[in-house]
Amino acid sequence: MSSEPPPGSGGQPPEDDPFRKRPQSPGPGPDPGPGEGGTGSPYDNPSPSPPPPPGGGGPYGGDPYGGGSYPTDPLAGMPPLADSGRRTLARIVDMILVGLVVWLLSWAFDVQEYQVDDDDVSFGKSFWQSLIAALLYIGYDTYMITRNGQTLGKKWLGLRVANLDNGATPSGQTSLIRALVLWIPFAFCCACVWTIIAGGWSFFDRPYKQGLHDKAAKTVVVSTR
């Protein structure tokens, strides 16, 4: 297992990740008061902030007058969210590319999903083809997303997977969670139905256009062009 922290556990993305959101530079500070090198009058100081209400802060927790922080848009500073139609096309491209390898390996190891022998059609070896498919799809997705946030289909269609909280390229563990949710049901039980449900969820999800696999891994898909 990867030693990287699970998503949402506070782990920091690499500093050299070109897609990581950077903190904005603070603006100029207030004019210092008398005795601190400033030129202002002592009568120009603003009145002190009112004390926080009893009970421990505002509706979002913390001190609403500066001790806490209000919720912010996690997409601030990130590229726009990807169009769900382009996401679907990218997924189809990846399924075709990996599916060809699955078919070749299944043929080489003689574990095709079905075999026709005269009038006899056998489905007895389908589990092994499903296993090959699951391993290849999960390995492909995990490696490519960890590498730079893009599978081949996403790269060709101008898309990228990013952490929802900081915009960085997902870690190996995050990418693995995302791939497991997407491909295990696809390989073993309900390929077409699960693909439509998990991937098609992004067409209706608001505000982040996440598929079910994105929700599990806390990721989003953004446009790179």
Side-chain angles (χ1 to χ4, degrees):
M1 285 294 293
S2 169
S3 61
E4 298 177 58
S9 63
Q12 296 297 323
E15 291 291 339
D16 59 352
D17 188 340
F19 299 108
R20 182 184 181 210
K21 290 195 293 187
R22 309 292 178 182
Q24 296 182 350
S25 300
D31 186 31
E36 299 177 356
T39 58
S41 165
Y43 302 102
D44 294 336
N45 290 335
S47 59
S49 300
Y60 301 107
D63 181 359
Y65 299 102
S69 60
Y70 287 96
T72 57
D73 182 4
L75 298 179
M78 290 173 61
L81 292 173
D83 176 74
S84 295
R86 273 200 296 159
R87 290 185 61 172
T88 301
L89 290 177
R91 180 63 65 196
I92 292 173
V93 170
D94 290 327
M95 290 174 67
I96 292 174
L97 292 175
V98 180
L100 289 174
V101 180
V102 171
W103 181 83
L104 289 173
L105 289 178
S106 299
W107 176 79
F109 289 103
D110 192 26
V111 290
Q112 295 94 328
E113 184 172 356
Y114 64 88
Q115 293 180 335
V116 178
D117 183 10
D118 295 332
D119 296 327
D120 180 32
V121 179
S122 172
F123 292 87
K125 297 180 181 179
S126 60
F127 169 79
W128 297 107
Q129 186 176 29
S130 296
L131 182 61
I132 291 174
L135 293 176
L136 285 179
Y137 277 115
I138 291 170
Y140 167 79
D141 227 306
T142 301
Y143 171 76
M144 298 297 286
I145 297 301
T146 303
R147 183 170 174 263
N148 59 8
Q150 295 177 302
T151 60
L152 292 177
K154 285 181 171 58
K155 183 176 182 179
W156 296 339
L157 271 294
L159 310 175
R160 185 181 72 85
V161 179
N163 289 333
L164 176 60
D165 60 349
N166 58 24
T169 299
S171 66
Q173 186 166 345
T174 298
S175 301
L176 178 60
I177 291 172
R178 191 175 186 273
L180 289 172
V181 172
L182 182 62
W183 294 118
I184 285 184
F186 172 87
F188 287 102
C189 64
C190 43
C192 295
V193 174
W194 181 247
T195 302
I196 293 172
I197 294 175
W201 200 271
S202 67
F203 282 87
F204 309 101
D205 183 71
R206 296 295 181 273
Y208 303 129
K209 296 184 179 180
Q210 293 174 298
L212 295 182
H213 48 304
D214 289 312
K215 288 186 175 297
K218 297 181 176 64
T219 58
V220 291
V221 179
V222 297
S223 176
T224 61
R225 62 188 184 201

